[in-house]
Amino acid sequence: MPPKKKKNPQEPLLIPEDVYLRVRKLLELKSAPRAPKAPLTSEEWCIPPALHILPELKHVVHYWKQCAVVRYEEREALKAPSMMKNIDSEEVVKKRWTRKEITELQKYLKSQTKQANKRSGQFLKQLEKKEKKEKKHKKEKKHEHESQEELHEVLREIDALPIQSPAEWRKENRNVARGNHVPEQPSTSSPGIRPSLRRFAKAASRYLGGSKRP
């Protein structure tokens, strides 16, 4: 098999002019994605906002910010930016640059894409971590609310019970022991309140320990 013929680095190649100028400008400015911080801000975009006003990028940024939608009043001034896949179109303004220059831009774009994917992965990890914290916080809040409602319910039941003085309680218990009187409902001093007090203690313990248990 014959060896591959080495390509001439000075060979002129035809590509869309605005595509070359955009990438060349980013390369000259050494634009690169920054490490993400939670939450994501515009400074972590692949192309930071400070570069959006550059003449080489202003038109393209405005076009894609509108999701490739051209308003009626902009139909004359705002045109779709050139792309390599449309190089055969007659409307695309093309120009020749050397293979060496174009290869340099290709390497830069490859590096930019790799860094952008890496930064996106880092941001997604931070986002997942934040979502887990939010879910845990909501779960704890829900638990606290349920415990508080249970505590209030038991307190309402206790408040609804009739209150007796010690003398009345002793008199009532003597009558019960003699078989003369059976109380219709328990008082706050009688053994009938014990289940409510146990429920109160349990609800209070759950409420106070809510921050420690899920």
Side-chain angles (χ1 to χ4, degrees):
M1 186 176 181
K4 290 184 179 180
K5 186 179 180 182
K6 191 175 181 181
K7 294 178 180 179
N8 182 10
Q10 299 304 320
E11 177 188 359
L13 298 176
L14 194 66
I15 67 168
E17 182 178 14
D18 58 341
V19 172
Y20 177 88
L21 294 176
R22 289 198 300 268
V23 182
R24 173 58 66 180
K25 191 66 177 179
L26 291 173
L27 177 59
E28 290 174 355
L29 296 172
K30 298 180 180 180
S31 173
R34 296 183 181 182
K37 299 177 182 178
L40 181 69
T41 65
S42 58
E43 293 300 324
E44 283 84 48
W45 291 351
C46 292
I47 302 177
L51 305 182
H52 291 184
I53 59 174
L54 295 174
E56 294 86 353
L57 301 174
K58 185 177 180 180
H59 170 83
V60 182
V61 169
H62 180 63
Y63 179 83
W64 290 115
K65 261 189 175 182
Q66 299 183 167
C67 301
V69 175
V70 179
R71 296 192 180 94
Y72 180 79
E73 60 270 17
E74 297 175 330
R75 65 189 185 282
E76 297 296 334
L78 187 60
K79 301 294 181 182
S82 302
M83 292 182 282
M84 288 299 298
K85 66 178 183 179
N86 302 328
I87 192 169
D88 296 329
S89 174
E90 295 181 358
E91 297 180 358
V92 176
V93 179
K94 295 176 278 289
K95 193 174 178 181
R96 296 185 183 277
W97 279 273
T98 64
R99 182 180 294 277
K100 182 180 179 182
E101 291 175 311
I102 296 174
T103 302
E104 184 183 12
L105 299 189
Q106 286 178 330
K107 289 181 179 179
Y108 169 73
L109 287 177
K110 187 177 180 180
S111 172
Q112 285 286 91
T113 304
K114 185 177 180 180
Q115 288 188 59
N117 290 335
K118 181 181 178 182
R119 300 306 185 196
S120 297
Q122 290 175 337
F123 170 70
L124 289 175
K125 283 183 180 179
Q126 289 185 358
L127 187 62
E128 289 173 1
K129 188 176 180 181
K130 185 179 179 182
E131 286 178 347
K132 286 181 181 179
K133 286 184 178 180
E134 288 291 332
K135 287 180 180 178
K136 184 179 179 182
H137 179 68
K138 287 181 180 179
K139 192 174 181 180
E140 290 176 350
K141 278 287 184 183
K142 183 181 178 182
H143 174 77
E144 182 181 347
H145 177 73
E146 291 175 351
S147 302
Q148 194 172 20
E149 284 297 316
E150 183 181 357
L151 188 62
H152 289 166
E153 183 182 351
V154 176
L155 288 172
R156 284 193 292 268
E157 289 180 6
I158 294 174
D159 289 341
L161 294 173
I163 301 175
Q164 287 181 322
S165 67
E168 289 174 332
W169 181 83
R170 286 193 295 271
K171 181 180 178 182
E172 184 180 277
N173 276 270
R174 282 197 299 270
N175 291 331
V176 171
R178 293 170 184 171
N180 299 330
H181 171 69
V182 178
E184 295 181 358
Q185 61 180 165
S187 68
T188 54
S189 305
S190 67
I193 198 176
R194 288 173 186 168
S196 295
L197 289 175
R198 283 196 294 269
R199 285 187 60 203
F200 172 76
K202 184 178 179 182
S205 176
R206 187 182 174 202
Y207 175 70
L208 294 174
S211 59
K212 300 179 182 178
R213 293 186 295 176

